[in-house]
Amino acid sequence: MALSLHFVSTSPCNPPQKISIPSLRAPCNHGSLKQAFLSFHHSPFLHSQEVYSSILELCASHKALLQGQQIHAHVLTSNALVNDDGFLSTKLLFMYGKCGHLSHAKRVFDEMSQRTVFSWNAMIGAYVSVGQPWEAVKLFKEMIFCGVVPDACTFALVLRDCGEVENIDLGNEVHGLAIKHGFLLNTLVVNALIAMYAKCGWFDVAMKLFELMDGNRDVVSWNSIISACLKDGQFVEALFLFREMLESGIRMNSYNVVSALQACAELLLLKLGMQIHASLWKCGKNVQVYEANALIAMYARCGRMDDAARVFIEITEKDYVSWNSMLSGCVQNGLNMDAISFFRELLEVGMKPDQVSVISVASALGRLGNILNGMEVHAYSIKQGFESNLQVGNTLMDMYAKCSLPYYAGRVFRQMPDKDYISWTTAMAVLAQNHQHLEALELFREVQKKGMQVDPMMIGSMLTACGGLNSLSILKQMHGYAIRHGLLDLVLQNKIIDLYGQYEKVGFAMNVFNGIDTKDVVSWTSMISCYIRNGFFDQALSLFRDMEETDVEPDAVALICALAASSGLSSLMKGREIHGFLTRRNLLMEGSVNSSLVDMYAHCGMIDHSFKIFNMAQHQDLVLWTTMINACGLHGRGKEAVDLFSRIQEIGLVPDHVTFLALLYACSHSGLVDEGKKFIEIMKSDYGLMPWQEHYACVVDLLGRSGRMNDAYEFINSMPVEPTAAVWCALLGACQVHSNHELAEVAAGKLLELEPENPGNYVLISNVFAAMRKWKDVEMVRDKMKQRGLKKDPACTWIELGNEVHTFVARDSSHKESVAIYSKLSEITQKLKRECAYVSDTRFVLHDVQELEKIKMLHGHSERLAIAFGMICTPERAPIRITKNLRVCGDCHEFTKLVSKLYEREIIMRDANRFHHFKNGSCSCGEFW
């Protein structure tokens, strides 16, 4: 009905003026609600059902409830419903449904005298609009019961509901009814069936239906099946179908473009995503906000935040998804500062952050450790009622965890009304990683009481707690629990190997390692590290060789472990091989790699090589400086260690506890008493570092080695903390060197009191008593060892020649060259007696035997056998490198000095304390060892 009415103004102040009222049809056709209402209210005629229908449809499309109610009132006053056949009532029902006003829709529906299939569809659609799919399904069943024959639209609506509630049984039932009523080939119904089966996880059925459509496919069919592919994770298939759709002549629309871009994002197909972007421009139409948001997400996922930002800038009407896509993109790509800046920009333009915004910015703040702004975001979440949201709560917990604030993370956890596995797992991880190990275990027990299913992540946190509690018993329980419940994955197995290594249970660790079917580089490295931690360096290198023979490529961590094993064995050849491997693979020679190389060469007696690595390093961090100082201490080059420390101070590096420990160790092994005492004071006064027990032990060792036994004892008594076994052990060692029997008895008593299960302590005490010729006390100590089941590590010395390591123990006769070795050793000894007046010092034989037997025992010491073998197997005047697991005895020390002079050989010996470089009859230790 087209009306064009003119009214004349009668205002005395203004001249007569024509007012043109627009016709009703035009604004309805153009979607102009305001103009349509202006025409409707100024019309002097009764309105037909067509007019009411048009304007009600317009109200529905605009979701203009107030205007729709006005039209409803007009309909009632005009008695337009008196002779209504259901058409107008259905339009009213449709309008209320679209506007989400369910109570009015139900009232209209209940008052209808005649209900057509369109009325039922409108009411079902109303339930769908307000998110009540089960009510829609109930109404559909009532409709069937009333004998109303459903049409294609009915089936499409109900199938959509079945998909929403993922009720495949009902969906199959509706599918059967659709076939019964002859809608098998109806495109609208089949499209709805495809979507329903996809949402219910029956992707194969959805695909079969799509294939059966063949010539009846429309754009909705293609959109439905592409969406189904995305839901099922069939991203490649989705892109193939997208291309097939374009080839079939169907044009791109926002729906399928967004789906294709999502697939590109999942597969990181940047090039294809850019081609789709270019195609959108070629179509000559403006990029819609949905398409732009998908482009932003795709570029962000592919790491192209600059391109994402360009798309964002070009969006004229940005929605929340646009802003949140950019925010989450920044966080995904580690651009946390950019994310914070972007969040501020969001606030500046007047946008109100929603839950997604809060999750992104809280993640960024957590990674930056920005706790003040993080708390502000938390406060905003509480104010907006977001804190009860599961994802927001989990993210806030994670933020506090990253900022090392377990208390606040715990508060968030306790206040969350609903918790999922992520919540519980995050809470356990926060406690375990922040040294609240018992609390983490309590939380794990609570999970078990609630009957929740435990996952590997939770077990991982419990293993961390086990490590912190140093509890082998709990570790075994967790290991058993994981086995019983089938939770052992590769990550957990690797972690369990590490922990068994920590508890010195190498056999248990090896059992776990052998049980791993597919070992990764972490598995091999964990087991190698376990061997190294427990002093099994030979086995560690053997396992490293086994790894090299597999297809597992060693990474930097594995190579550092192999270098540590080489250091432990003083295996220069293996260390050089690993160094060569690092060089050939162009692995970065910085950081921990450089430090490990410096340490390896130092422990293999090549300190000059250590200095070369150190000087060539582009970035000399504190760890590298500390390692170099320690290397100097190991070789008795205390003055150089002090110089290095001075250089650290000059360049502004701040030394830590470990640096001072290495420095004091160097002073101790070079007799730098005054310097050592000065550094312990500097440590406290200049750097505010409270000494560890190890620092105090170094000072005691320094004073004791220098013969200042009373000063060492007074220092122990003046310590601000109770001295540990390490301190008393240092004093007892000095007592043995300087034969201070009185203090030795005091130190021995304290040592056994503090560490009654340490076999090394009993051996040291026994040796001290033997040096004092207190044989009854020696026997008593040895009996105590037997009673406790403790065993002394036998003294052994090894020498590396070629690719083979030769090991010797005292009076060893097992070596294949044993006869030649003893013959050479006898020749050397006789020559020393003849030409250097060498006389065996039997004071170092700590056994109550005859003098001749003592001399025999000295001549059979393992280091002498290794030297004799080295003399046989190496060229004349070539250096000999040997390693001993215990401290070299005084007589062997003198013997080796004389050999170096008489045979013009440099002998490099590493014992349990340090390196001895014997040359021209003197030793680099300066008698400090």
Side-chain angles (χ1 to χ4, degrees):
M1 181 177 184
L3 299 175
S4 181
L5 305 176
H6 301 279
F7 293 86
V8 179
S9 171
T10 56
S11 169
C13 302
N14 296 308
Q17 183 178 7
K18 270 188 180 181
I19 298 177
S20 176
I21 304 300
S23 70
L24 188 56
R25 182 176 297 169
C28 281
N29 289 340
H30 290 92
S32 175
L33 187 63
K34 185 177 179 182
Q35 290 299 322
F37 258 75
L38 185 62
S39 297
F40 181 85
H41 286 299
H42 286 84
S43 170
F45 304 109
L46 292 175
H47 297 299
S48 66
Q49 282 192 342
E50 183 189 350
V51 171
Y52 283 124
S53 173
S54 298
I55 201 160
L56 283 170
E57 285 180 2
L58 195 59
C59 291
S61 66
H62 284 271
K63 296 186 178 178
L65 177 64
L66 184 61
Q67 289 86 340
Q69 287 176 320
Q70 290 176 16
I71 299 300
H72 190 180
H74 201 284
V75 167
L76 292 173
T77 56
S78 65
N79 294 318
L81 293 176
V82 173
N83 298 314
D84 181 40
D85 58 359
F87 174 76
L88 199 53
S89 296
T90 301
K91 289 292 180 182
L92 284 165
L93 186 55
F94 177 77
M95 181 272 295
Y96 281 123
K98 283 292 183 183
C99 292
H101 211 294
L102 192 62
S103 59
H104 278 51
K106 285 175 69 177
R107 190 179 303 159
V108 171
F109 183 74
D110 291 340
E111 291 173 356
M112 289 177 70
S113 56
Q114 298 181 53
R115 294 175 184 160
T116 64
V117 66
F118 305 111
S119 313
W120 289 92
N121 289 349
M123 193 62 221
I124 291 170
Y127 282 120
V128 173
S129 295
V130 296
Q132 294 188 23
W134 283 112
E135 292 298 323
V137 170
K138 280 170 60 179
L139 192 63
F140 171 71
K141 290 181 177 178
E142 186 183 338
M143 173 185 175
I144 298 298
F145 181 78
C146 292
V148 180
V149 179
D151 63 5
C153 182
T154 314
F155 284 115
L157 284 167
V158 176
L159 286 167
R160 177 182 167 185
D161 291 333
C162 294
E164 290 296 327
V165 296
E166 296 184 10
N167 190 327
I168 190 63
D169 294 329
L170 183 59
N172 283 330
E173 188 181 334
V174 176
H175 189 178
L177 281 172
I179 295 171
K180 182 180 176 182
H181 285 84
F183 290 103
L184 178 62
L185 299 177
N186 183 279
T187 304
L188 179 65
V189 175
V190 178
N191 289 344
L193 281 166
I194 291 170
M196 183 274 293
Y197 280 118
K199 286 180 180 176
C200 292
W202 285 36
F203 175 75
D204 292 340
V205 178
M207 181 59 80
K208 192 171 183 180
L209 284 168
F210 178 76
E211 289 168 352
L212 289 171
M213 291 182 77
D214 199 14
N216 296 325
R217 296 169 188 158
D218 61 6
V219 68
V220 178
S221 313
W222 288 98
N223 290 348
S224 298
I225 196 62
I226 291 170
S227 178
C229 288
L230 290 180
K231 182 171 177 60
D232 196 59
Q234 305 278 346
F235 305 116
V236 174
E237 184 67 21
L239 291 173
F240 275 125
L241 286 167
F242 179 71
R243 185 177 66 182
E244 192 179 335
M245 179 196 77
L246 296 177
E247 289 171 353
S248 70
I250 303 288
R251 297 184 65 182
M252 292 190 302
N253 64 12
S254 293
Y255 196 93
N256 52 51
V257 163
V258 168
S259 296
L261 288 170
Q262 284 176 354
C264 291
E266 291 293 338
L267 297 169
L268 302 179
L269 295 175
L270 175 63
K271 191 174 180 181
L272 182 57
M274 294 176 79
Q275 288 174 359
I276 295 171
H277 190 182
S279 297
L280 288 172
W281 283 110
K282 285 179 184 176
C283 290
K285 68 183 188 71
N286 291 329
V287 177
Q288 300 299 309
V289 67
Y290 311 108
E291 298 163 341
N293 292 343
L295 283 167
I296 292 170
M298 184 274 295
Y299 281 126
R301 190 72 183 271
C302 294
R304 297 286 288 266
M305 285 307 298
D306 289 344
D307 291 321
R310 276 192 284 271
V311 174
F312 177 80
I313 291 166
E314 290 168 1
I315 302 174
T316 52
E317 294 186 10
K318 302 172 180 68
D319 61 7
Y320 273 101
V321 177
S322 314
W323 287 92
N324 287 335
S325 296
M326 280 297 294
L327 255 179
S328 61
C330 289
V331 176
Q332 286 168 20
N333 288 279
L335 305 173
N336 298 305
M337 287 302 299
D338 291 334
I340 306 304
S341 301
F342 198 79
F343 184 77
R344 290 197 183 102
E345 189 179 337
L346 181 149
L347 295 172
E348 286 168 5
V349 299
M351 294 285 286
K352 193 175 180 182
D354 63 4
Q355 293 176 2
V356 180
S357 314
V358 166
I359 289 168
S360 293
V361 76
S363 296
L365 291 166
R367 292 176 188 178
L368 291 169
N370 187 339
I371 191 57
L372 291 178
N373 290 138
M375 286 180 163
E376 287 177 356
V377 170
H378 187 182
Y380 176 84
S381 300
I382 295 170
K383 187 178 178 182
Q384 299 299 320
F386 295 161
E387 194 185 27
S388 59
N389 177 270
L390 187 61
Q391 282 186 295
V392 171
N394 288 342
T395 306
L396 287 170
M397 263 203 297
D398 183 64
M399 177 192 75
Y400 283 122
K402 286 185 169 67
C403 295
S404 300
L405 291 171
Y407 171 75
Y408 290 101
R411 280 187 60 184
V412 173
F413 176 76
R414 287 189 294 273
Q415 291 169 4
M416 288 172 68
D418 299 308
K419 301 175 181 73
D420 63 0
Y421 282 112
I422 295 173
S423 316
W424 288 93
T425 305
T426 304
M428 286 181 210
V430 170
L431 293 170
Q433 291 165 11
N434 286 278
H435 312 295
Q436 297 189 19
H437 309 301
L438 287 173
E439 292 84 347
L441 285 171
E442 285 299 322
L443 210 58
F444 182 72
R445 290 193 186 99
E446 194 175 335
V447 164
Q448 291 177 295
K449 287 176 187 175
K450 289 179 177 291
M452 290 174 65
Q453 188 176 350
V454 175
D455 61 8
M457 294 268 302
M458 291 181 185
I459 297 294
S461 294
M462 292 307 97
L463 291 174
T464 301
C466 291
L469 290 168
N470 202 24
S471 171
L472 177 62
S473 171
I474 297 175
L475 170 60
K476 286 180 176 178
Q477 290 177 45
M478 286 298 164
H479 188 188
Y481 183 94
I483 293 170
R484 288 194 305 275
H485 292 84
L487 297 171
L488 272 186
D489 58 14
L490 187 58
V491 174
L492 289 182
Q493 287 171 311
N494 294 341
K495 196 163 188 175
I496 288 168
I497 291 170
D498 276 333
L499 286 172
Y500 278 133
Q502 180 181 318
Y503 298 130
E504 300 179 4
K505 296 296 180 183
V506 179
F508 288 4
M510 196 64 196
N511 287 338
V512 176
F513 177 76
N514 289 333
I516 301 174
D517 294 326
T518 307
K519 302 173 179 69
D520 64 1
V521 68
V522 180
S523 312
W524 289 94
T525 306
S526 298
M527 194 62 227
I528 292 167
S529 178
C530 171
Y531 276 135
I532 292 167
R533 185 184 286 120
N534 290 279
F536 297 106
F537 303 114
D538 200 19
Q539 290 90 329
L541 282 179
S542 177
L543 196 64
F544 182 75
R545 283 191 289 271
D546 291 344
M547 182 177 73
E548 288 181 300
E549 290 171 6
T550 67
D551 293 332
V552 177
E553 180 80 8
D555 60 7
V557 179
L559 291 164
I560 287 169
C561 284
L563 286 171
S566 302
S567 299
L569 284 173
S570 292
S571 178
L572 180 60
M573 183 162 291
K574 193 62 190 176
R576 279 176 166 165
E577 281 179 23
I578 297 164
H579 190 181
F581 183 92
L582 288 162
T583 305
R584 288 193 303 276
R585 297 300 173 91
N586 292 318
L587 291 173
L588 190 64
M589 293 292 192
E590 289 299 329
S592 54
V593 174
N594 266 342
S595 300
S596 297
L597 284 169
V598 167
D599 186 67
M600 182 274 293
Y601 280 118
H603 279 84
C604 291
M606 304 284 285
I607 191 169
D608 291 341
H609 280 56
S610 295
F611 269 111
K612 282 180 184 176
I613 300 289
F614 175 78
N615 292 326
M616 288 170 62
Q618 292 181 0
H619 176 63
Q620 295 175 331
D621 60 8
L622 184 62
V623 176
L624 186 61
W625 282 94
T626 302
T627 306
M628 197 64 241
I629 290 172
N630 190 63
C632 289
L634 195 62
H635 288 265
R637 296 164 77 158
K639 292 289 185 184
E640 288 173 88
V642 172
D643 290 342
L644 284 168
F645 182 75
S646 299
R647 287 169 62 190
I648 284 178
Q649 292 177 304
E650 286 169 10
I651 62 176
L653 270 179
V654 179
D656 61 8
H657 282 90
V658 182
T659 309
F660 277 105
L661 193 59
L663 188 60
L664 289 169
Y665 172 84
C667 292
S668 173
H669 285 83
S670 300
L672 303 178
V673 179
D674 293 336
E675 289 85 344
K677 290 171 70 177
K678 181 183 74 174
F679 287 131
I680 196 83
E681 292 304 320
I682 287 175
M683 178 183 177
K684 291 185 286 187
S685 59
D686 292 8
Y687 295 99
L689 298 172
M690 289 309 297
W692 295 341
Q693 290 283 350
E694 291 83 356
H695 296 98
Y696 291 125
C698 271
V699 174
V700 171
D701 188 60
L702 171 63
L703 293 169
R705 283 180 193 276
S706 303
R708 296 164 65 169
M709 301 301 301
N710 291 331
D711 289 347
Y713 186 58
E714 285 176 15
F715 179 82
I716 292 173
N717 291 328
S718 67
M719 281 171 56
V721 291
E722 195 67 28
T724 61
V727 176
W728 290 111
C729 189
L731 181 65
L732 187 59
C735 288
Q736 182 185 2
V737 173
H738 296 286
S739 302
N740 190 321
H741 300 164
E742 185 183 345
L743 281 179
E745 289 187 2
V746 174
K750 292 286 186 181
L751 204 52
L752 289 180
E753 181 186 326
L754 292 167
E755 283 188 351
E757 299 298 326
N758 187 335
N761 293 340
Y762 287 92
V763 172
L764 180 58
I765 293 167
S766 172
N767 291 345
V768 171
F769 284 145
M772 294 161 64
R773 299 297 182 260
K774 292 187 174 183
W775 302 115
K776 286 185 179 179
D777 291 336
V778 170
E779 196 62 35
M780 178 196 69
V781 172
R782 288 173 181 169
D783 285 342
K784 278 188 177 180
M785 283 187 73
K786 286 177 185 176
Q787 289 168 16
R788 292 182 176 272
L790 304 175
K791 290 183 180 179
K792 173 189 174 184
D793 289 332
C796 69
T797 304
W798 59 93
I799 180 170
E800 183 183 36
L801 295 172
N803 286 320
E804 198 173 351
V805 175
H806 302 264
T807 306
F808 300 91
V809 294
R811 290 180 284 183
D812 196 349
S813 59
S814 62
H815 197 278
K816 61 183 180 181
E817 300 290 337
S818 183
V819 174
I821 292 168
Y822 277 101
S823 175
K824 185 68 176 176
L825 182 57
S826 178
E827 174 199 313
I828 294 168
T829 307
Q830 292 305 318
K831 194 173 182 180
L832 291 183
K833 287 178 177 178
R834 244 185 357 257
E835 300 184 25
C836 301
Y838 165 68
V839 178
S840 301
D841 190 346
T842 56
R843 290 177 304 161
F844 295 100
V845 178
L846 305 175
H847 295 274
D848 187 15
V849 293
Q850 295 297 319
E851 194 70 14
L852 284 175
E853 185 61 25
K854 288 182 179 180
I855 293 170
K856 242 180 172 180
M857 292 174 76
L858 279 175
H859 289 185
H861 276 191
S862 60
E863 52 265 56
R864 302 192 192 206
L865 297 175
I867 290 169
F869 182 65
M871 299 278 278
I872 294 169
C873 298
T874 58
E876 224 177 291
R877 298 191 179 182
I880 296 172
R881 301 173 188 279
I882 63 172
T883 306
K884 185 173 180 179
N885 66 332
L886 301 179
R887 185 179 184 272
V888 62
C889 84
D891 187 63
C892 287
H893 192 268
E894 189 63 26
F895 173 88
T896 311
K897 283 199 295 184
L898 294 174
V899 170
S900 72
K901 179 180 180 182
L902 193 60
Y903 288 88
E904 297 182 356
R905 290 264 198 161
E906 182 182 3
I907 300 172
I908 301 157
M909 179 192 295
R910 174 186 164 190
D911 71 2
N913 287 344
R914 58 169 299 149
F915 266 92
H916 301 263
H917 293 261
F918 298 95
K919 195 172 183 181
N920 298 325
S922 63
C923 179
S924 61
C925 71
E927 306 308 314
F928 282 94
W929 89 95

